[in-house]
Amino acid sequence: MISRFARTTRADDLQSVIRSARLRWRLRVVLHGAAVVIAVALAILLLGAVGVEQLRYDPIAVIAARVLVVLAFIIAAAWLLARPLMRRLPDDQVALYLEEHEPSLEMALLSAVE
């Protein structure tokens, strides 16, 4: 017979594993999003520099390029960083993710979550 304390400890351990997996998933999302945002920012910055050069450094073109680069950076950061981080992952989805990446669990975590 399993005592109530043992069940609580197992449930706490399971929640701890899921919490740490969720944190690692969020870190992966942040790192991936930051890398893509930096690449997009560099591409937009390069396009802005080429555009300003083509317009012979006209003051209006320089200001427009600055505004467009900042707006593109903000939009890319919001779309690629903030939006994925606002999504809430249910425990069963985290357990499925863990089982897909660690086949030795053999459905133990997913059945424990259910």
Side-chain angles (χ1 to χ4, degrees), residues 44-92:
I44 296 296
L45 190 61
L46 182 66
L47 288 174
V50 169
V52 167
E53 185 178 336
Q54 291 294 320
L55 294 174
R56 309 229 187 263
Y57 297 97
D58 183 41
I60 293 176
V62 172
I63 293 171
R66 287 178 182 172
V67 169
L68 289 175
V69 166
V70 169
L71 282 176
F73 180 76
I74 291 170
I75 290 170
W79 189 261
L80 297 168
L81 284 173
R83 190 178 60 93
L85 287 176
M86 289 184 350
R87 196 175 88 180
R88 172 84 169 115
L89 287 177
D91 289 346
D92 56 343

Side-chain angles (χ1 to χ4, degrees), residues 22-39 77 80-82 84-85:
R22 188 176 284 126
L23 287 174
R24 285 192 310 267
W25 177 81
R26 286 186 181 279
L27 178 63
R28 186 183 65 121
V29 167
V30 166
L31 291 175
H32 180 265
V36 174
V37 166
I38 289 170
L80 297 168
L81 284 173
L85 287 176

